Amino acid sequence: MKKILILGGTTEARQLAGQLAARASVVLSLAGRTESPVAQGVPVRTGGFGGADGLAAYLREMRIDLLIDATHPYAAQISANAAQAAHTTGTPILALRRPGWQPVEGDRWTQVDTVGDAAQALGSAPRRVFLALGRQEVTAFEAAPQHHYLIRSVDAVEPKLAVPDASYLLARGPFREAEERALLEKHRIDAVVSKNSGGEATYGKIAAARALGIEVVMVGRPALPDVASAETVEALAAIVNQFGVDHFL
Ligand code: NAP
């Protein structure tokens, strides 16, 4: 059986692993950021490889036939490492690149490049802000301590944010629009800060903000390496299944 390494940490990576497991020997790689990740259904390895060179060494040592980058669109470092390691080892690579959301009629988006810019874009007057960001990213908002923050994350934010007024919620998506709307209303939120993750699982807050006329400060995507890609799990699985792993060798 051919060996496929999937770089994951996303729902799509888990689904893809499930779809490919019947045809190939699949290993899913997680960074190890989440304390209790959901069951992935295939063999998992956890933790960094040690940069592009470490990943290249792993690809050689494990005799990986196909590398699939199915990481989150904001995980730019691992995607760059994957492209480089594939190149240096001559390992075929495919990427799952979920398209970003586009603003539609009624959306009030302020588009910024970084979380630091998002903290600035909230302005100087105190606001009630929902941060739907990873726990590593929320520290940028210590630069704007005048706002009230509602922070939702999968794992607890430790240490807590050095701002006078923040509350914390632990939850794992998917989040539906009706639940998100109820949350925004309950906490009287007037600005949502979000990454442009794309996909259905976290779109509820964007739709809810539109329905309530709330501003969304949207942090734009980082640049990712140019590798052959598909937009959905089904399309990527179809490429692999149609041609077989041999096609990429
Ligand atoms: P990153 O900044 O691109 O990666 C930082 C380092 O973490 C990489 O250089 C690598 O370490 C290690 N790493 C990342 N993903 C890995 C994987 N799948 N397997 C093994 N090592 C990995 O990534 P990040 O933003 O910290 O995200 C970490 C993981 O969380 C990713 O797998 C991503 O799919 C998932 N995730 C990220 C976000 C987000 O918004 N960034 C959201 C949801 C899920 P070495 O250099 O030592 O190999």
Side-chain angles (χ1 to χ4, degrees):
M1 260 190 164
K2 296 294 182 185
K3 285 189 175 175
I4 300 179
L5 175 65
I6 300 178
L7 302 174
T10 58
T11 305
E12 283 94 337
R14 177 162 41 86
Q15 292 167 343
L16 185 65
Q19 293 204 14
L20 296 179
R23 295 281 308 268
S25 163
V26 176
V27 174
L28 187 64
S29 175
L30 300 177
R33 302 271 187 279
T34 305
E35 278 153 23
S36 48
V38 294
Q40 303 286 319
V42 297
V44 169
R45 67 156 300 288
T46 303
F49 296 93
D53 290 346
L55 178 53
Y58 181 92
L59 294 175
R60 284 198 191 98
E61 190 185 324
M62 303 304 285
R63 300 179 183 278
I64 298 297
D65 297 301
L66 175 65
L67 176 61
I68 298 179
D69 174 12
T71 56
H72 191 270
Y74 285 74
Q77 186 61 56
I78 187 70
S79 292
N81 293 354
Q84 195 184 323
H87 181 73
T88 54
T89 58
T91 308
I93 179 169
L94 290 172
L96 185 55
R97 299 259 195 267
R98 185 204 283 177
W101 301 312
Q102 298 295 328
V104 299
E105 173 107 33
D107 276 327
R108 290 180 53 213
W109 287 15
T110 300
Q111 308 213 42
V112 297
D113 290 334
T114 65
V115 280
D117 293 345
Q120 289 294 316
L122 292 171
S124 51
R127 301 179 71 178
R128 297 184 61 82
V129 183
F130 177 40
L131 299 182
L133 297 172
R135 61 176 169 170
Q136 290 105 2
E137 291 136 339
V138 295
T139 49
F141 293 85
E142 290 179 346
Q146 69 276 27
H147 307 297
H148 165 81
Y149 293 106
L150 172 64
I151 299 165
R152 181 172 68 195
S153 55
V154 174
D155 292 312
V157 174
E158 288 296 345
K160 299 264 184 277
L161 224 55
V163 298
D165 190 9
S167 50
Y168 298 85
L169 261 182
L170 289 185
R172 196 195 295 266
F175 303 103
R176 284 199 296 272
E177 179 182 345
E179 295 158 359
E180 297 292 64
R181 186 174 171 149
L183 182 77
L184 297 179
E185 287 182 315
K186 179 179 168 201
H187 292 269
R188 294 176 288 113
I189 296 299
D190 61 46
V192 172
V193 182
S194 175
K195 287 185 282 198
N196 193 342
S197 300
E200 292 290 313
T202 58
Y203 190 67
K205 61 181 176 282
I206 308 299
R210 181 192 313 132
L212 295 170
I214 291 173
E215 181 187 4
V216 174
V217 180
M218 188 67 83
V219 182
R221 291 181 168 204
L224 295 175
D226 190 16
V227 302
S229 65
E231 293 191 349
T232 63
V233 170
E234 289 68 29
L236 191 56
I239 294 173
V240 178
N241 286 331
Q242 187 179 352
F243 298 113
V245 173
D246 288 335
H247 174 81
F248 301 97
L249 302 178

